Amino acid sequence: SAFVTFVAGITMTAMIVAYLLISVRRAAQLEAISENLRATTAELERKVEQIADMARHDALTGLPNRVLFRERMDEALARHRRGMPFATCFLDLDNFKAVNDTLGHSAGDSLLCMAAARIADCLREIDTFARLGGDEFGILFADTAAHADIARVADRLVTEVGKPFTIDGEIVLVGVSIGISVASVGDGPTAEGLLKEAD
């Protein structure tokens, strides 16, 4: 009887140890699965952010696109209602189609990127500079309605874009046409109205 009890005790202990080992192994497996799920979730969140970022930026230049530009305009209009003025600027590259037709689309893409870099260098970090499509760009001058300041920037843009570009060994000359609309304090502007005026 004592022997049977002893054997039963040993068997029970072995079963408990086996159960504990299995439980520890399963817990480790569950932890590994949980870690994989966390990593997968974090990667999915990064992908979603990346897709959202791509939806608001131009693939060629990396600039904000029309969607993000409009969002920034809506934000500027909200600030405008609290007394903060702003201005909107439209730019078209002159002679861009001729460059595209004579040197090809690759040269045209290079020109767009180079011109965008020159324009960006003339702006403040708080301004929004966007490619709206084709050779058309938009600028949102944040928190300013001073005509003299905007005119100075416009003059500089005309000068900088008008300097020669070298693309595939070819000297390329283009210009830029600029339209500006100002949302002064006291106005009741709309995004559509300002964009139309600038265009």
Side-chain angles (χ1 to χ4, degrees):
S1 176
F3 178 73
V4 171
T5 302
F6 174 74
V7 170
I10 292 292
T11 303
M12 184 64 69
T13 301
M15 289 173 65
I16 291 170
V17 169
Y19 174 78
L20 288 172
L21 287 172
I22 290 168
S23 296
V24 167
R25 192 175 298 119
R26 282 183 180 165
Q29 289 172 342
L30 285 172
E31 179 58 34
I33 290 169
S34 295
E35 183 59 36
N36 285 338
L37 282 172
R38 281 192 291 272
T40 301
T41 301
E43 180 64 21
L44 284 172
E45 287 172 354
R46 278 194 297 273
K47 294 288 186 188
V48 168
E49 287 175 9
Q50 193 175 39
I51 290 168
D53 187 66
M54 288 170 62
R56 287 174 167 76
H57 288 83
D58 175 54
L60 177 64
T61 61
L63 293 172
N65 62 12
R66 187 178 290 272
V67 173
L68 183 51
F69 188 74
R70 181 56 191 267
E71 288 176 4
R72 297 280 172 84
M73 277 207 74
D74 290 339
E75 292 167 6
L77 283 166
R79 289 194 301 273
H80 179 269
R81 287 189 284 274
R82 299 193 301 271
M84 303 292 281
F86 70 97
T88 305
C89 179
F90 264 25
L91 303 91
D92 284 320
L93 295 184
D94 301 330
N95 303 322
F96 174 74
K97 186 177 185 305
V99 173
N100 229 10
D101 290 345
T102 56
L103 299 180
H105 292 290
S106 177
D109 288 348
S110 296
L111 176 59
L112 287 170
C113 292
M114 294 165 74
R118 288 189 188 179
I119 294 167
D121 284 343
C122 298
L123 306 176
R124 304 169 301 171
E125 286 188 11
I126 63 171
D127 298 325
T128 298
F129 175 41
R131 183 182 178 207
L132 304 180
D135 64 337
E136 186 178 72
F137 297 91
I139 301 170
L140 184 67
F141 292 106
D143 305 336
T144 183
H147 292 217
D149 292 341
I150 298 165
R152 272 195 296 274
V153 175
D155 285 341
R156 188 176 171 204
L157 291 171
V158 169
T159 299
E160 291 302 315
V161 176
K163 292 177 180 177
F165 293 90
T166 303
I167 302 174
D168 297 333
E170 298 281 344
I171 301 298
V172 174
L173 290 171
V174 296
V176 62
S177 297
I178 302 176
I180 301 167
S181 62
V182 177
S184 302
V185 176
D187 292 345
T190 63
E192 291 80 6
L194 289 168
L195 292 173
K196 185 177 179 181
E197 287 173 9
D199 197 25

